[in-house]
Amino acid sequence: DGLHLLVEECSLLASDGIQVPKKRFGKTELMMPIVSLGCMRFQQAWGTSIESMDDVTPECQENLLSILRRSFALGINHIETARGYGSSEMQIGEALKTLFENGEVKREDLIIQTKVPLRPTAAEFREVIERSFRELQVDY
């Protein structure tokens, strides 16, 4: 019975027209989907072996684009990544650039969250977070 229920649930989620509900985030006016798109596994490789998009296979990047498109179609507009997730920020940034240029999604419709390691000074922290903005190809 459990497997049958799981298959039914997956079929429901895969059908067209389903939208993930959104709830107000805390005391803000920001409406967050109850499901986020965690991007920890959205990279060609862990670590620093991927230095540019030339090191990413077309299949890997196209898979990321497909996942983003499906997520947006479901109403999942919260993307979560981190500086420590290998090439995730760089690949997401390149994918978002494509989606923005194609008019498939607007920056203002997305909630993009990244995490960076602590730094001893505000200046060093700013340098790290600004690198993430550059990798993600966004300015906020």
Side-chain angles (χ1 to χ4, degrees):
D1 279 327
L3 180 58
H4 180 71
L5 181 60
L6 178 62
V7 169
E8 281 182 23
E9 293 291 326
C10 289
S11 294
L12 177 65
L13 288 174
S15 66
D16 289 331
I18 298 295
Q19 288 289 293
V20 170
K22 294 183 179 175
K23 297 290 182 184
R24 189 180 68 176
F25 182 69
K27 295 181 181 182
T28 73
E29 297 302 316
L30 184 64
M31 296 301 288
M32 291 276 292
I34 63 169
V35 176
S36 293
L37 181 61
C39 300
M40 186 169 144
R41 303 279 182 212
F42 283 14
Q43 73 276 353
Q44 179 74 39
W46 287 99
T48 58
S49 63
I50 304 295
E51 296 181 8
S52 75
M53 287 302 296
D54 293 335
D55 299 324
V56 176
T57 65
E59 297 82 12
C60 181
Q61 193 63 16
E62 189 55 45
N63 185 54
L64 171 56
L65 274 164
S66 294
I67 292 168
L68 287 170
R69 286 180 175 123
R70 182 66 181 152
S71 297
F72 299 155
L74 293 170
I76 302 169
N77 65 332
H78 177 227
I79 301 169
E80 177 275 326
T81 188
R83 168 109 319 258
Y85 293 175
S87 58
S88 178
E89 286 182 340
M90 177 179 55
Q91 289 182 244
I92 291 168
E94 194 65 27
L96 291 176
K97 177 182 173 189
T98 297
L99 297 172
F100 295 156
E101 288 176 353
N102 292 345
E104 295 179 61
V105 68
K106 296 178 184 173
R107 169 62 185 99
E108 57 267 21
D109 295 332
L110 301 179
I111 303 164
I112 302 173
Q113 171 190 341
T114 194
K115 299 170 293 299
V116 298
L118 294 174
R119 293 291 184 243
T121 68
E124 290 172 286
F125 178 81
R126 184 178 189 106
E127 182 180 314
V128 172
I129 196 72
E130 286 180 353
R131 176 176 174 201
S132 288
F133 288 158
R134 285 190 305 276
E135 293 284 348
L136 289 165
Q137 301 188 40
V138 296
D139 56 4
Y140 70 96

